[in-house]
Every structure is written in structure tokens, then in C-alpha cells.
Amino acid sequence: MRALLSVYDKTGVIDLAKGLVDLGWELVSSGGTASAIADAGLPVVEVAAVTDAPEMLGGRVKTLHPKIHGGILADRSNPDHLADLEARAITPIDLVVANLYPFTSDPGIELIDIGGPTMVRAAAKNHAHVGIVVEPSAYGDVLEELREQGTLSDATRRRLARAAFAHTATYDAAIVAWFDEEDGEVLPPSLHLAAERAQDLRYGENPHQVGARYRLAGKRSWWDDATQHGGKELSYLNLYDAEAAWRLVHELGEGPAAVVIKHANPCGAAVADDLTTAYTRAHECDPVSAFGGIVAVNGPLPVTLAEALAPVFTEVVIAPAFEDGALEVLTAKKNLRVLEAPAPGALGLQLRTIDGGILVQTPDPVGVDRSTWTVATERVPSDEEWQDLELAWRLVARVGSNAIVLVKDGQAVGIGAGQQNRRDAGAIAAEKAAGRAEGGAYASDAFFPFPDGLDGAV
């Protein structure tokens, strides 16, 4: 049995090579991998000795040779293929272990691997006869199966082939993305998304649906570094709503802020001198909708806030840290999911599925540039009114259209979300405000050809 080992990431490769040698396998390798194996005192045949063709073009051509690819691609059940191998004195290759140049670590032409993807794809194509291993994490299971069974099962080779094609697809997607970034493409002519399942969820949007979180290949998000301190497993809507809450609370400025999210829409938000006050005022906006909601704060969560939150049925609470004693109060509620997380990263292109494709748009910019605003009335807003206007505008940008937000003294007092017309959205916001918005700010994402949208909010 012959194995070809050619890896950039040499994690675990010596242990794998030793295990294969102990099982009687012949090792073929090239470059740094061959040197590492030889330095470990293990027998290895250089690729150049197999091909009778030294490396050329500064290492760009090493394994691209019929004696390598013929050994990988031969269909052992096809007599013509076997005759070709015999006629050309080609020894079949039964296992290929390869991973690729780390293109994403330092994107550039010289890190675009050619020989590696070619070997990987060839072995994966011929998985009926050849095993292909691209992840060091798989070495142990492969060795164990070879020791126990003497060969890899059809199911294992198929599973490894699937992982191999995913590996090369991800690699090519990263190269295409690099070209697009270099060319400054905002909406490139094609999208090549590669994502890996990062988290199984309790269920999908409804209990009869299954769900999972996928992470874009080569990326890392705040979700990957979040710690769940208590509560049940997260569901699809828990993540969806928590993402909205965590982003929004980080868009409300540097001072203490709190938001309450339900069905991805804020049902309460406030800024204040301290987080407990901010949460209390956010909850006051719409206590009915806050039931079963998501709470996010932008600073270390104090015990006083935990005690204020404890009596309220809440699905998830998120904070960057927790002061002494706060976690003990929160985790005493066995169904409350408590997340400690870093700040969210920048959003990329936004995607939405439609029949046979996707809609794509650039993300809505975060923040407020008051210098671009003009005052249409004779009276200029006071400083306090400007602050309420800014908060209202930040909030309305994250409320489903048609949306109306009423703010007074740094507190959302009425939010009308997701209505088919602006009048109903305004009326809902006004009903929830119950007179608390007088003298405050009004923000809308709707076009106002008539005054009825404003009339409904007073």
C-alpha cells in the first residue's frame, strides 16, 4: 500500500506517517513534508524519485506528473486502467494526505496552490479506491480504522471525499473574494460562499424545524467567542433576535445603553447614566412585548440590573461582562440563557433568499452624521431634542418597515413596527407612548406625502 503525503500544515503528520509505516505502508512525499518525515527517522520516497523529474519553476511543479496522477486516478476495477499502470510502471496510490498553502493568511499569487488542489480533487474523484485526508483532525480516525480493518470503508472514503471537495471549494472561494477585494468590487459579478456548520441549534424557527448556525469559512464572529453561562440550548430565533439586540446596543453610543428585542425588532431602548436605569427605562417602553424578549447591555452587567431583570421572563441576556454576584442571580433562572460576548464585527453584504437565487445589498451604515441634517422649521431643536432625534433615528433604522419611533429624554417611549402603512405604525407608537412622548422626538422610515402619519402619533 502506498500513501502520498504533501502538506503545508504539518500538525500531526509525523505521527500519521509513523502509524502508516508501522502498518507496512510505503510513503511518498516531496519538499518540506519529505524532509520532516526523513528527519523523524522514517523511510520516505521522494516524489522526484517516482517521477524521475526534479522539481522545477521554484517548486511550482512537483507532483504534476502522470506517475503521480495516474497512480491516484486509476480505476482499479477497469482492466484498461490497470493495463496502463503496468505499461508505464506506475504504482497505485491508495491514500493521499494533503492540505493547501494558507492563502487567507497572506493572500497573493505565490500562495495560490496548484499541485495540492489537483491531488486533492483527483483523489476525491477516485474515492471508490483512494482515501483523501485534508484535515489533521482526521488523522487519528483514519489510522484507527486502518489498524482495525486493514483498509478504509466505502463510507469513510466517501465522507473524506466530501470533505476534500469542500476544502478546495472553500479555497477557491477565498481566491475569488481576494480578486474582488483587490478590484474594489462592491457587488461582484458572482458570489462564491463557503460556510461551515459551527453550531447545532435546539430547533429552527418553529419546534418542528431543524436549525444550525454556519460560519463563513476563514471568518470568526462574536458568536464564536461568546460564552453561555446558563440556560437551555439556543434556538434559531434566539440567535436571530440576539444578533439584532447585540448590534443595536452597540450602535447607541458610548454611554450606558440597554435594548429589549422581540422578533428582531426593538420593543424598548434607552440610554442613561447607568445600566440599571437604562434597562429599567427600556423595559418601561413596552413591558407586554418585553415578555420573552432578548435583553442586551453595552457594559458590565451589575447585580442591581440582574435583580431588576430576574422577575421578568426573558429568553436571553447579553453583556460584555458581569459584575460580581450578577451571574449568580441570573443563572438561578434555569431557562434564562446568559451570554457573555465581545462586540460584534462589521457587517458584510446582506443576503436574502428568493426562488432560485438571492437578493444582495450593501449593509445599512451604522451611526448618525448630524452635519448632513437640515432643519425644515423655523425653530432649531435644543441640544436635548437633538440627542433624542439622534437616538430615535438610530432606533428606527433597526425597526421593521413601516416604522415609527418616539423618544423622550433618552428613552424610547413608543415603537410602531412592521405595519403596512405609516398611519398604523404611528398610531401604535402613540398608543404605547401613552402621552410620554410630548416634547420628544419622532422618527420614521416612511415617506410622508400627507400629514396623516404625523397626526396618528399625537
Side-chain angles (χ1 to χ4, degrees), residues 374-386:
T374 58
V375 179
T377 58
E378 293 182 1
R379 185 175 76 82
V380 176
S382 66
D383 287 343
E384 292 78 11
E385 289 170 331
W386 274 120

Side-chain angles (χ1 to χ4, degrees), residues 97-458:
V97 181
N99 54 57
L100 312 180
Y101 296 163
F103 179 82
T104 56
S105 67
D106 185 22
I109 293 298
E110 289 308 318
L111 282 185
I112 297 179
D113 203 334
I114 302 299
T118 306
M119 284 190 300
V120 168
R121 289 179 61 84
K125 171 176 176 151
N126 201 29
H127 65 272
H129 306 283
V130 179
I132 169 63
V133 188
V134 295
E135 296 291 346
S137 60
Y139 294 169
D141 290 341
V142 167
L143 266 180
E144 183 178 356
E145 187 167 334
L146 289 174
R147 287 178 182 132
E148 292 181 356
Q149 308 295 332
T151 186
L152 297 178
S153 68
D154 292 345
T156 296
R157 291 195 305 274
R158 182 177 177 84
R159 175 175 54 79
L160 292 172
R162 194 266 178 206
F165 281 121
H167 192 61
T168 57
T170 299
Y171 195 79
D172 286 340
I175 295 171
V176 173
W178 173 67
F179 273 102
D180 291 338
E181 290 169 6
E182 290 284 296
D183 295 340
E185 294 279 6
V186 177
L187 294 176
S190 61
L191 288 178
H192 304 270
L193 301 178
E196 54 198 11
R197 191 172 65 200
Q199 182 180 2
D200 291 323
L201 301 178
R202 190 164 177 239
Y203 49 76
E205 189 168 351
N206 297 291
H208 61 273
Q209 296 172 275
V210 295
R213 175 176 67 89
Y214 283 76
R215 175 179 51 238
L216 292 176
K219 302 293 184 180
R220 192 165 185 86
S221 77
W222 71 269
W223 284 105
D224 297 306
D225 296 316
T227 300
Q228 183 173 346
H229 289 290
K232 296 179 290 189
E233 290 182 79
L234 292 160
S235 70
Y236 177 95
L237 284 180
N238 289 153
L239 266 71
Y240 189 72
D241 290 349
E243 176 76 12
W246 200 226
R247 287 197 173 277
L248 177 57
V249 81
H250 282 84
E251 294 173 8
L252 299 187
E254 297 298 323
V259 301
V260 184
I261 293 285
K262 191 75 170 289
H263 300 303
N265 278 302
C267 56
V271 294
D273 292 333
D274 63 88
L275 286 176
T276 301
T277 302
Y279 165 71
T280 302
R281 301 186 77 210
H283 184 264
E284 286 173 352
C285 176
D286 187 356
V288 174
S289 297
F291 183 86
I294 311 290
V295 172
V297 297
N298 63 351
L301 192 149
V303 175
T304 51
L305 197 161
E307 291 170 341
L309 190 148
V312 182
F313 173 55
T314 303
E315 289 277 357
V316 182
V317 59
I318 322 170
F322 296 85
E323 293 184 3
D324 290 344
L327 276 177
E328 287 76 5
V329 174
L330 295 173
T331 55
K333 297 172 68 69
K334 65 178 183 178
N335 291 329
L336 175 62
R337 302 156 177 92
V338 182
L339 298 181
E340 182 175 349
L347 281 173
L349 292 177
Q350 295 180 312
L351 314 178
R352 179 174 292 180
T353 58
I354 58 173
D355 186 18
I358 53 178
L359 294 174
V360 182
Q361 67 175 353
T362 56
D364 193 21
V366 174
V368 172
D369 182 4
R370 196 194 296 179
S371 67
T372 64
W373 293 7
T374 58
V375 179
T377 58
E378 293 182 1
R379 185 175 76 82
V380 176
S382 66
D383 287 343
E384 292 78 11
E385 289 170 331
W386 274 120
Q387 291 172 11
D388 282 346
L389 280 166
E390 285 193 13
L391 177 59
W393 194 240
R394 291 176 191 270
L395 291 175
V396 81
R398 301 297 179 248
V399 177
S401 186
N402 284 309
I404 303 293
V405 173
L406 306 179
V407 169
K408 181 71 166 81
D409 296 331
Q411 175 189 19
V413 292
I415 299 174
Q419 298 304 303
Q420 290 84 351
N421 65 74
R422 64 196 178 280
R423 292 190 306 170
D424 287 350
I428 290 170
E431 180 182 356
K432 293 181 177 182
R436 293 177 294 168
E438 185 175 351
Y442 175 110
S444 171
D445 65 352
F447 175 52
F448 278 143
F450 311 109
D452 54 359
L454 290 169
D455 292 341
V458 297

Side-chain angles (χ1 to χ4, degrees), residues 42-57:
L42 299 171
V44 61
V45 179
E46 285 273 359
V47 164
V50 174
T51 62
D52 198 26
E55 294 181 11
M56 59 183 293
L57 304 181

